[in-house]
Amino acid sequence: MAYPHTRRKYTIVGIDPGTTVGIAMIDLNEKPVDVFSAKNYSISDAIARIESHGTPLIVASDVTPTPAMVKKIGSMFAAPVHDLVESLSTEEKIALTKGEGYEYKNAHERDALAACVNAFKRYKKKFAQVQKKTPTGVNVEEVKALVVKGVSISAAISRLINAEEERRKVTEEERREEKKSSEEKESKIILRLRGLLKGKDER
């Protein structure tokens, strides 16, 4: 089931491999983005679908050891794989997928959804801290993404503020260059017109 109105830039992806593949995605606020399953679904099909909904930040499975398909998709997106100490039980998966707005049509979709919700739980407190500490004007989603990659909250915020200031400087420099170029062009046109008028007067 797709949720077109809840697309986000970053997603947490759960995958249940097999003859029927289950794929589920939630955003960094634990809201459903996409829950889907299909028979004989290839890795390239799965990658295309995941990519169409944003950038995967974490890829997860409901079992351990992590299946090869899940690892491969994680490496394709350079996204860390959420490894489990032990596989999720049916009871745990049912409990994890009782969240508001969560819907699934079969066990494959449920297992994929449980995998990504379980991965989210690991970062839930950290994400709440990010939400609280991030100042207005700084992209919260980007801070969360950096935190998942191992950057501290304060360092992530500083990095984004510095990057924004750098971008502003570059933009201002480009504007100045454009203005200078435009003024030079205008000067050349004025000189050319003056030359033409002088020639006309002389004639």
Side-chain angles (χ1 to χ4, degrees), residues 28 120-134 140 143-144 146-148 150-154:
L28 303 190
F120 174 86
K121 299 285 180 200
R122 182 179 165 186
Y123 294 95
K124 192 169 185 174
K125 278 185 183 173
K126 193 65 94 174
F127 284 173
Q129 287 174 343
V130 169
Q131 208 80 34
K132 199 184 286 184
K133 291 181 180 180
T134 304
V140 177
V143 178
K144 288 178 182 178
L146 287 169
V147 165
V148 168
V151 181
S152 70
I153 296 173
S154 56

Side-chain angles (χ1 to χ4, degrees), residues 14-29:
I15 301 163
D16 179 47
T19 311
T20 299
V21 173
I23 298 171
M25 287 167 257
I26 59 173
D27 67 16
L28 303 190
N29 294 309

